[in-house]
Amino acid sequence: MRSLFKKTLGDVYMPFNDASDTNNPRKGHRLKDIPVHDPFVLSHEPTNTYYLYTTGIPELTDLERNGVLVYKSKDLLDWEGPYVVFEIPDGTWAHPRHGTWAPEVHQYDGKYYLFVTLHNRDSILAEPPEVWKTNHLRGTSIAVSISPEGPFE
């Protein structure tokens, strides 16, 4: 039986529900049930579909690594998903378990571009007292797809 809660930071537990289950995307989710972080909505006129992109983190989903999820809707009320459209690949500067922040998708010249901030907390750039808080390697990465539904590479 699947746990109804997943442990996040410290002893705080967050709800794990059908809207978190990337192995079984389904229809009928409401926004209040979706674990949304830094959401971005793309209005796709050719299909009259809205795409809601959000951070996918292992602490709130069934993912093994950080990534980006998408939900889709025709009316902004009922949402289908989640679908994994991007995961941090191995062999890059970013650590696959250190975070994806604020994904956005924009269409340009017939393709879709995912902009997402990635992190590597193991690569320290500066530490106190030189700075007020430890700075680690982070940067915005751009991945491309021919569809707003991904996959983005």
Side-chain angles (χ1 to χ4, degrees):
M1 185 171 140
R2 179 175 56 196
S3 172
L4 296 178
F5 294 91
K6 290 199 76 169
K7 188 171 185 178
T8 59
L9 301 174
D11 290 326
V12 176
Y13 287 83
M14 297 296 294
F16 180 88
N17 58 31
D18 290 339
S20 304
D21 190 355
T22 63
N23 288 314
N24 298 297
R26 59 191 65 170
K27 296 179 180 182
H29 300 305
R30 302 299 264 189
L31 283 177
K32 67 180 179 67
D33 299 318
I34 299 174
V36 177
H37 301 274
D38 296 325
F40 180 83
V41 175
L42 173 73
S43 175
H44 190 249
E45 290 184 34
T47 60
N48 293 317
T49 303
Y50 298 98
Y51 292 94
L52 184 149
Y53 300 90
T54 187
T55 297
I57 58 175
E59 293 84 1
L60 296 178
T61 66
D62 53 356
L63 296 176
E64 295 294 320
R65 59 180 61 220
N66 285 269
V68 175
L69 305 178
V70 70
Y71 297 82
K72 54 187 178 178
S73 174
K74 295 288 189 181
D75 60 9
L76 295 173
L77 296 174
D78 293 305
W79 294 88
E80 177 183 337
Y83 299 98
V84 179
V85 295
F86 175 81
E87 286 186 293
I88 298 174
D90 291 324
T92 65
W93 62 268
H95 192 290
R97 302 256 320 159
H98 288 183
T100 51
W101 283 5
E104 290 190 15
V105 173
H106 298 276
Q107 182 181 16
Y108 176 73
D109 205 21
K111 294 184 180 177
Y112 297 85
Y113 295 86
L114 167 69
F115 295 78
V116 62
T117 299
L118 306 180
H119 301 261
N120 187 330
R121 291 189 299 269
D122 294 336
S123 294
I124 304 299
L125 300 176
E127 295 181 289
E130 290 84 24
V131 292
W132 72 278
K133 185 177 179 181
T134 300
N135 293 329
H136 63 271
L137 188 61
R138 71 182 81 179
T140 300
S141 293
I142 304 170
V144 183
S145 177
I146 60 170
S147 167
E149 297 184 22
F152 290 89
E153 299 175 345

